[in-house]
Amino acid sequence: MRKSLPTITLPPEIKKVFQIFTKAGWEIYLVGGAVRDLLLKRPFNDWDFTTNAPPEEIQKLFPQSFYHNKFGTVTIPLEKERKIEITPFRQEAAYQDYRHPSQIRWGKTLEEDLQRRDFTINAMALAYQKQPRLIDPHHGQNDLQKKLIRAVGNPTKRFREDALRMMRAIRFSSQLGFLIEPRTFAAIQKNAALISKISAERIRDELWKILASPYPAEGINFLRTSGLLHYFLPELEATYGVAQAKHHIYDVWTHSLKALASCPSQDPLVRFATLIHDIGKPPTARGQGPERTFYNHEVVGAKIAREISQRLRLSKKESERLWRLVRWHQFTVDEHQTDKALRRFIRHVGKENLSDMLALRTADRIGSGSRPTSWRFELFKKRLAEVQKQPFTIKDLKINGHEIMKKLQIPSGPLVGKILQALFQEVEENPKLNRKSYLQKRLPIIYHQLGASAKSSKPPKEARQ
Ligand code: ATP
Ligand code: MG
């Protein structure tokens, strides 16, 4: 059955590409994600074309283009991140080790090129001569309407050619809000173990896209039910069915997914931290039913987070942020907390991660069935902002080491540091004391106390024997 095409308006520079190739006697088609997203009326960046012209000929037609990869892709940059990419027809090449082909084989026809593509919704082409015309041998338009991700051809064969396609199926499903067609899904379940053949970086890139998508929790759920999760995040899989104490209505897995779904941050790393914040619970669970406890789960969880960071090859900076968010997620929100306690919390989390930590807490609350906030939590946020305006580190003291040495006539050395530390402790308790006149007045007293304690901390000779 031929489906009617929705109105598609192409920008002038894209129409121009069609015209230039056609005039030179070559075939030219828009393909892949661009066609899919045009039909879905979804924004996208890359305009991918395929043609029977070889790269050298494409370059002749577009002198401003560049060509420097083994896939034969010629790139024409557009404004911002956007670009046009033109690749000669390709066909399925020899696959080794369940990974992308080691060698590229050029195709002779558009049909061959569409055949090698992963899913029916990614295997449509658009021709344009006055009017757009859809070429859709695998019925991708049908699957777009049914909201289905379906492999082109035999799914098991396709996943054995390239195991990353299993992650891509789930990624597209959570980006588009589609289901995976049952035979395609069954083939992922059957072949899930092959994902171990794929590099950690490529798995992480897909995982990050799932986390950043509009349906991250659905995506993570599919990762578990397909069996893929087991091979790269077994610690998260282990939270499934782990019951919590009475006041928790959900098991750890369900709570983690609900938290992820409610995370106000768009950042995949913050969403990932939200997803794994309770990953230390299964190994720390003690007791059953209402008596169940998870003491130190944030400490154990932070250690697991570090292992996961290494496994997924996160950068040092990402790994550090993930660690901090998991390690300190159990922070107390209490109107009786001292400013000092709040400052310690800020030091632990890091100023730059505060809003992410608060986003995680909001998600954690919603994921436990609570309201997004409370008057206490609001007060806590206000106080965090207030407290940051007050002195923080020794550097913020209204007196420095040089002034201390001059005033007390002492040489530089560890004693100066000790005096600074003592002054800082006073100011941390009571920020109003951070005045030069007050600190100067305190100097001789602290000097005396420290001098005395330094002496008295050394026991008399006889006592040491
Ligand atoms: P987006 O760029 O929005 O993530 P996309 O569909 O453009 O989506 P790309 O990864 O850019 O995805 O790939 C472009 C096209 O190349 C796809 O639409 C698909 O037709 C094909 N393709 C990409 N990766 C594979 C693969 N591993 N196996 C088969 N075909 C693939
Ligand atoms: Mg793309």
Side-chain angles (χ1 to χ4, degrees):
M1 189 179 61
R2 201 150 162 197
K3 296 231 170 307
S4 62
L5 208 56
T7 36
I8 288 176
T9 30
L10 298 172
E13 68 267 29
I14 298 302
K15 284 185 185 167
K16 188 103 196 152
V17 173
F18 279 108
Q19 278 160 11
I20 291 172
F21 274 87
T22 312
K23 209 167 143 216
W26 301 109
E27 288 181 49
I28 181 80
Y29 306 93
L30 194 64
V31 274
V35 179
R36 178 196 70 217
D37 291 339
L38 276 174
L39 293 177
L40 288 172
K41 305 210 174 296
R42 191 172 172 266
F44 62 95
N45 286 332
D46 297 343
W47 295 86
D48 296 338
F49 285 91
T50 189
T51 176
N52 60 349
E56 311 77 61
E57 295 298 324
I58 306 174
Q59 279 210 291
K60 277 188 208 155
L61 297 176
F62 295 91
Q64 79 276 34
S65 65
F66 52 89
Y67 164 53
H68 57 70
N69 70 34
K70 60 175 181 169
F71 297 113
T73 303
V74 174
T75 303
I76 306 168
L78 297 171
E79 84 292 355
K80 290 194 188 135
E81 298 272 277
R82 302 172 62 244
K83 58 188 182 311
I84 294 172
E85 291 197 326
I86 307 166
T87 311
F89 295 152
R90 279 165 49 188
Q91 56 171 289
E92 218 38 291
Y95 283 83
Q96 278 168 2
D97 304 333
Y98 313 100
R99 283 191 286 255
H100 51 108
S102 46
Q103 223 186 340
I104 297 298
R105 283 223 312 255
W106 303 120
K108 288 193 181 60
T109 63
L110 172 68
E111 282 64 33
E112 274 175 338
D113 188 89
L114 296 179
Q115 184 84 44
R116 72 162 175 97
R117 294 177 182 268
D118 46 9
F119 305 110
T120 61
I121 60 166
N122 290 345
M124 295 179 275
L126 196 80
Y128 185 86
Q129 267 176 343
K130 292 199 184 91
Q131 289 299 320
R133 179 172 58 89
L134 191 71
I135 300 128
D136 183 16
H138 305 288
H139 312 292
Q141 210 187 355
N142 228 331
D143 286 335
L144 273 187
Q145 271 167 7
K146 290 193 194 151
K147 296 181 178 264
L148 284 180
I149 310 292
R150 184 195 308 267
V152 169
N154 178 318
T156 285
K157 192 166 154 259
R158 303 312 307 281
F159 296 141
R160 292 185 143 259
E161 285 167 358
D162 179 0
L164 187 74
R165 289 173 184 157
M166 300 189 286
M167 287 292 290
R168 282 174 60 89
I170 293 174
R171 187 255 285 192
F172 285 118
S173 101
S174 55
Q175 283 180 329
L176 302 172
F178 282 23
L179 288 176
I180 300 170
E181 175 274 324
R183 268 188 65 227
T184 303
F185 194 72
I188 301 180
Q189 289 178 313
K190 207 168 90 193
N191 296 287
L194 294 180
I195 200 65
S196 329
K197 308 277 179 186
I198 300 295
S199 78
E201 287 86 348
R202 297 179 79 209
I203 293 176
R204 185 212 44 225
D205 286 351
E206 293 299 328
L207 177 63
W208 254 221
K209 286 181 186 175
I210 292 171
L211 289 167
S213 78
Y215 299 98
E218 286 79 355
I220 301 296
N221 200 34
F222 282 145
L223 284 179
R224 191 190 72 80
T225 53
S226 63
L228 291 170
L229 194 65
H230 177 73
Y231 295 96
F232 58 91
L233 283 176
E235 304 91 338
L236 180 62
E237 191 193 26
T239 65
Y240 186 78
V242 174
Q244 310 200 65
K246 203 164 46 186
H247 60 280
H248 287 280
I249 46 181
Y250 304 119
D251 71 281
V252 180
W253 167 265
T254 311
H255 162 64
S256 306
L257 255 60
K258 284 190 182 288
L260 170 63
S262 330
C263 183
S265 169
Q266 309 275 317
D267 183 337
L269 186 107
V270 180
R271 289 187 172 190
F272 190 55
T274 303
L275 175 66
I276 66 164
H277 73 279
D278 277 343
I279 207 157
K281 280 192 170 175
T284 53
R286 298 286 177 274
Q288 290 299 335
E291 311 305 322
R292 183 156 255 200
T293 61
F294 302 98
Y295 289 125
N296 271 337
H297 76 267
E298 69 279 20
V299 179
V300 174
K303 200 166 151 265
I304 300 175
R306 192 142 271 167
E307 287 160 14
I308 292 174
S309 292
Q310 273 168 11
R311 185 184 316 149
L312 297 181
R313 313 251 195 284
L314 298 196
S315 70
K316 236 177 132 180
K317 213 171 143 198
E318 286 172 319
S319 158
E320 170 71 16
R321 278 176 75 207
L322 186 67
W323 184 87
R324 287 197 187 218
L325 292 172
V326 175
R327 174 64 185 85
W328 303 111
H329 82 267
Q330 280 286 84
F331 63 89
T332 312
V333 172
D334 176 354
E335 68 277 22
H336 303 301
Q337 261 165 312
T338 59
D339 284 359
K340 192 177 167 189
L342 287 176
R343 271 193 291 273
R344 193 183 320 120
F345 167 70
I346 296 172
R347 256 199 317 276
H348 284 155
V349 175
K351 262 187 195 182
E352 65 288 3
N353 302 317
L354 270 185
S355 62
D356 296 336
M357 188 83 257
L358 296 173
L360 193 157
R361 172 56 63 89
T362 304
D364 195 2
R365 289 179 58 97
I366 305 173
S368 313
S370 302
R371 291 172 296 126
T373 191
S374 65
W375 68 264
R376 267 200 190 89
F377 191 31
E378 288 307 304
L379 178 67
F380 180 81
K381 291 185 216 171
K382 248 198 356 243
R383 286 188 64 199
L384 279 184
E386 282 299 316
V387 120
Q388 286 186 75
K389 293 181 197 148
Q390 295 161 7
F392 228 98
T393 67
I394 285 184
K395 287 200 192 92
D396 296 312
L397 279 178
K398 292 279 191 283
I399 197 164
N400 64 33
H402 292 293
E403 291 167 277
I404 293 175
M405 292 189 294
K406 214 167 133 196
K407 203 95 195 149
L408 295 174
Q409 292 292 308
I410 54 170
S412 68
L415 185 59
V416 182
K418 280 187 189 153
I419 295 172
L420 279 167
Q421 197 63 48
L423 289 173
F424 177 66
Q425 262 175 24
E426 283 191 32
V427 172
E428 200 176 28
E429 295 286 354
N430 183 0
K432 290 199 191 91
L433 301 180
N434 194 15
R435 282 172 288 120
K436 203 176 200 107
S437 56
Y438 172 81
L439 299 174
Q440 282 179 342
K441 223 167 57 206
R442 290 288 296 150
L443 278 183
I445 304 162
I446 289 180
Y447 178 60
H448 181 74
Q449 282 172 350
L450 282 174
S453 73
K455 269 180 229 142
S456 66
S457 69
K458 256 193 207 154
K461 238 185 172 172
E462 311 83 80
R464 265 189 271 151
Q465 289 169 348

